[in-house]
Amino acid sequence: QSELTQPPSVSGAPGQRVTISCTGSSSNIGAGYDVHWYQQLPGTAPKLLIYASNNRPSGVPGRFSGSKSGTSASLAITGLQGEDEADYFCQSYNSGLSAWEFGGGTKLTVL
Amino acid sequence: EVQLVESGGGLVQPGGSLRLSCAASGFTFSNYDMHWVRQATGKGLEWVSAIGTAGDPYYPGSVQGRFTISRENAKNSLYLQMNSLRPGDTAVYYCARGNNWSFDYWGQGALVTVYS
């Protein structure tokens, strides 16, 4: 059972800002392991969106940003666009389970 | 350009076996940890196994003793031998490159269906 918790869904209108939370534990985020975020567009493989809490791979727009504090992390998307409609997953490493783990995923709907 | 291409998915009965392969290109395969991650239809992502550059394997409890990960650096290939398959193993299996505890590149996935 994953120890990373995400809201099942969030929504926002085009141009707005939305945030997705990822609540962890003392065995993953709280233990100092980085948080990474993935975007999965419908019918495609996941894509790394943010790594090490707040770094964007080449090609990822600056509208996407991440942060981490204590045992939680957040993904923020500003200037929401229709193409951002996707599932978003946070990921970290759990030292208690000795396993890489993912949050349950959050479905973003652009209204 | 980094590319990961899975193959070997298919239909199998409970208790059966299947071997997935992942062909890697566009990077020095031997320098990276590699992983398998699966996703059941409509569900989230689940890490299935990892292999270090030295060939050291890692598994979660859900597949420990049933799945075996291996790599063949000379062929730039990653494998997942799956035995004693269960209906709960039905999923799309992704090959992914590991990078500082993240998965920075993913394949397109291979569908494994365990049915009775």
Side-chain angles (χ1 to χ4, degrees):
Chain A
Q1 189 77 355
S2 175
E3 295 181 16
L4 294 173
T5 302
Q6 299 179 234
S9 64
V10 297
S11 62
Q16 285 190 332
R17 177 181 186 269
V18 296
T19 61
I20 299 173
S21 62
C22 177
T23 303
S25 70
S26 58
S27 296
N28 44 48
I29 302 173
Y33 291 98
D34 276 323
V35 179
H36 316 286
W37 291 90
Y38 302 86
Q39 178 192 58
Q40 187 175 33
L41 297 170
T44 70
K47 167 192 159 185
L48 181 63
L49 191 67
I50 296 287
Y51 67 94
S53 301
N54 58 6
N55 297 278
R56 290 186 308 277
S58 174
V60 174
R63 304 186 292 104
F64 295 91
S65 63
S67 63
K68 184 181 85 166
S69 178
T71 59
S72 295
S74 289
L75 172 70
I77 310 172
T78 58
L80 206 56
Q81 299 180 5
E83 65 199 47
D84 299 333
E85 194 160 278
D87 293 322
Y88 293 84
F89 297 89
C90 62
Q91 177 255 313
S92 186
Y93 182 80
N94 190 306
S95 57
L97 300 174
S98 295
W100 284 259
E101 60 182 353
F102 292 90
T106 299
K107 181 175 182 58
L108 168 63
T109 300
V110 180
L111 302 172
Chain B
E1 178 193 6
V2 172
Q3 284 199 323
L4 299 169
V5 180
E6 301 93 338
S7 60
L11 299 172
V12 62
Q13 292 188 323
S17 298
L18 210 58
R19 189 195 196 206
L20 301 180
S21 299
C22 173
S25 61
F27 65 102
T28 303
F29 180 74
S30 59
N31 287 352
Y32 287 86
D33 298 343
M34 296 297 295
H35 299 259
W36 290 97
V37 176
R38 70 184 178 185
Q39 184 174 36
T41 301
K43 302 297 184 181
L45 300 169
E46 180 187 11
W47 171 71
V48 171
S49 61
I51 187 165
T53 56
D56 40 319
Y58 304 89
Y59 308 96
S62 58
V63 306
Q64 179 81 45
R66 299 189 300 123
F67 289 11
T68 302
I69 189 172
S70 61
R71 65 190 300 162
E72 193 167 356
N73 291 337
K75 292 187 175 182
N76 292 334
S77 292
L78 176 72
Y79 307 102
L80 184 67
Q81 177 66 43
M82 303 183 291
N83 298 331
S84 302
L85 283 162
R86 308 164 178 168
D89 296 318
T90 295
V92 172
Y93 285 72
Y94 295 102
C95 164
R97 190 177 82 167
N99 194 345
N100 290 323
W101 304 94
S102 74
F103 309 98
D104 63 352
Y105 287 94
W106 299 63
Q108 86 288 350
L111 177 61
V112 172
T113 304
V114 184
Y115 74 106
S116 56

